[in-house]
Amino acid sequence: MSSLKFIDIAANLTDGMFKGMYNGRQQHAADLSIVLKRAWDAGVERIIVTGGSLEESREALALADTDGRLYCTVGVHPTRCSEWEESGDPEKHYQELLALAKEGAAKGKVVAVGECGLDYDRLQFCPANVQQRYFEKQFDLAEATGLPMFLHMRAAAEDFSTIVERNRTRFRAGCVHSFTGTSDELERMLAFSNLYIGVNGCSLKTSENLDVLKSMPLERLMIETDSPYCGIKSSHASSKLVQTTWPSKKKEKYDENYLVKDRNEPCQVRQVLEVVASVLGEKDQYKLSRIFYENTCKVFFPHDIDTLANAVLSASITGDI
């Protein structure tokens, strides 16, 4: 289907929807293998499976071990940071995360610490002071492993920036994924020279979101789906810019040859590229996909010698160096 190539930097492939579970009800058989085939056929070459808790990180690593194109993160999402104290021993919890991250990194499968950060839009799940405490603690993981950080920031730019600034020498690079912030918040993130920005359907909902996108430098941008969430919906300002679509059916009428309606999949990272290309006025989607691929490799796959060599070669051919 595609000669474009992609890395989806954020996919929640351990989510129950890929097991056919929706709101606690089994609607269809597990179909992750079918979802992954669609992704590979669409030009997705690698997927980073998101870990959002200790248990989910274990599951993400186990899944990553099943396919050479799957990788994962290890960390605790801000809305789940209460698990540190609920474990009864926060230091033991940290040590278990550290051991898992080291195990996965040694195999080349764990490529980042996270998803971690601050989310003040959902304080009902975890209070701000607990989020802050254990966001900061996860810089210990980054420093101990040498891994980059996979970051989350919602309505918390000031506190987020303060914590990152305090720890900026303790991690080599990171990506603020699923960015939905304002131009001012974008400027705050980009002030850290080692931070990149990840965009998905949630980043492209409104005309204001699209205006913010125009200010994002290509050399600091990555694309993602955050599937099964954050798809581009017909109500979104970006929907009219999508060129590639897949037929879908409701989950109650499941057919493996169709996408499940309103369940985002990694193959749809192509739609994110199409929207970004249109908003930025870039007609050459191949050039954009190459830039985003190389940005991603610089942060999450720094030992990918072939990719970095290709980046230098392609830049020399186009006169970029």
Side-chain angles (χ1 to χ4, degrees):
M1 175 182 180
S2 174
S3 56
L4 295 169
K5 64 179 185 178
F6 308 95
I7 300 174
D8 185 354
I9 67 163
N12 299 286
L13 297 186
T14 63
D15 191 275
M17 286 191 229
F18 296 118
K19 301 178 180 76
M21 295 290 295
Y22 299 78
N23 299 316
R25 294 185 61 187
Q26 190 80 41
Q27 296 286 354
H28 58 79
D31 66 342
L32 183 58
S33 61
I34 296 166
V35 169
L36 289 175
K37 184 179 186 305
R38 261 194 293 269
W40 312 141
D41 289 347
V44 179
E45 295 198 347
R46 311 180 205 193
I47 298 172
I48 301 176
V49 183
T50 306
S53 66
L54 174 57
E55 189 53 42
E56 190 174 271
S57 296
R58 286 176 175 141
E59 190 177 350
L61 179 55
L63 177 57
D65 281 337
T66 67
D67 191 302
R69 297 161 288 189
L70 296 177
Y71 302 84
C72 72
T73 70
V74 168
V76 182
H77 190 281
T79 61
R80 302 188 209 172
C81 276
S82 295
E83 76 169 43
W84 293 79
E85 294 174 1
E86 289 170 357
S87 73
D89 188 341
E91 181 56 30
K92 182 175 181 244
H93 203 70
Y94 167 78
Q95 292 298 332
E96 290 179 348
L97 285 162
L98 178 60
L100 186 66
K102 285 184 172 180
E103 174 196 343
K107 295 189 288 188
K109 285 295 186 178
V110 173
V111 297
V113 169
E115 176 178 1
C116 59
L118 299 176
D119 190 325
Y120 290 178
D121 275 343
R122 292 181 281 180
L123 293 173
Q124 69 270 30
F125 296 114
C126 184
N129 64 316
V130 176
Q131 290 189 31
Q132 293 166 16
R133 183 180 310 130
Y134 294 109
F135 176 30
E136 192 131 26
K137 184 65 176 175
Q138 290 179 82
F139 285 93
D140 292 357
L141 286 174
E143 188 170 40
T145 60
L147 290 168
M149 300 194 77
F150 187 67
L151 298 163
H152 177 108
M153 192 281 293
R154 285 281 188 280
E158 184 171 351
D159 288 347
F160 181 94
S161 298
T162 297
I163 292 172
V164 172
E165 174 63 35
R166 195 156 56 228
N167 295 279
R168 68 184 306 163
T169 63
R170 304 179 67 207
F171 73 109
R172 60 175 182 80
C175 180
V176 183
H177 104 104
S178 192
F179 184 80
T180 59
T182 64
S183 293
D184 288 344
E185 289 171 336
L186 175 64
E187 190 174 336
R188 277 178 175 266
M189 300 303 104
L190 293 176
F192 297 100
S193 60
N194 60 345
L195 287 188
Y196 290 67
I197 304 296
V199 296
N200 56 39
C202 286
S203 313
L204 309 168
K205 279 185 179 181
T206 67
S207 57
E208 290 80 9
N209 291 151
L210 300 184
D211 285 340
V212 173
L213 175 62
K214 293 173 185 176
S215 302
M216 294 187 188
L218 289 181
E219 68 275 11
R220 303 278 290 280
L221 195 56
M222 301 182 195
I223 55 177
E224 57 175 272
T225 61
D226 208 22
S227 55
Y229 310 104
C230 291
I232 297 173
K233 299 183 179 181
S234 59
S235 59
H236 292 181
S238 57
S239 63
K240 62 184 180 296
L241 305 177
V242 170
Q243 300 166 13
T244 304
T245 59
W246 288 260
S248 66
K249 289 186 176 183
K250 292 181 178 180
K251 57 185 179 295
E252 294 84 1
K253 298 182 178 181
Y254 180 80
D255 183 326
E256 67 178 37
N257 297 309
Y258 291 74
L259 271 63
V260 175
K261 184 174 175 58
D262 294 328
R263 183 186 72 171
N264 198 19
E265 292 191 12
C267 66
Q268 293 172 280
V269 72
R270 183 188 183 106
Q271 296 177 332
V272 179
L273 175 77
E274 291 168 354
V275 171
V276 171
S278 179
V279 171
L280 298 183
E282 178 55 69
K283 295 181 180 179
D284 189 346
Q285 292 184 10
Y286 298 91
K287 174 184 174 182
L288 270 191
S289 70
R290 190 192 78 221
I291 291 171
F292 299 154
Y293 195 99
E294 292 165 4
N295 290 347
T296 303
C297 285
K298 287 174 187 174
V299 174
F300 297 118
F301 304 100
H303 303 301
D304 189 339
I305 304 300
D306 291 339
T307 297
L308 294 180
N310 288 338
V312 173
L313 177 61
S314 61
S316 65
I317 290 173
T318 59
D320 292 339
I321 61 172

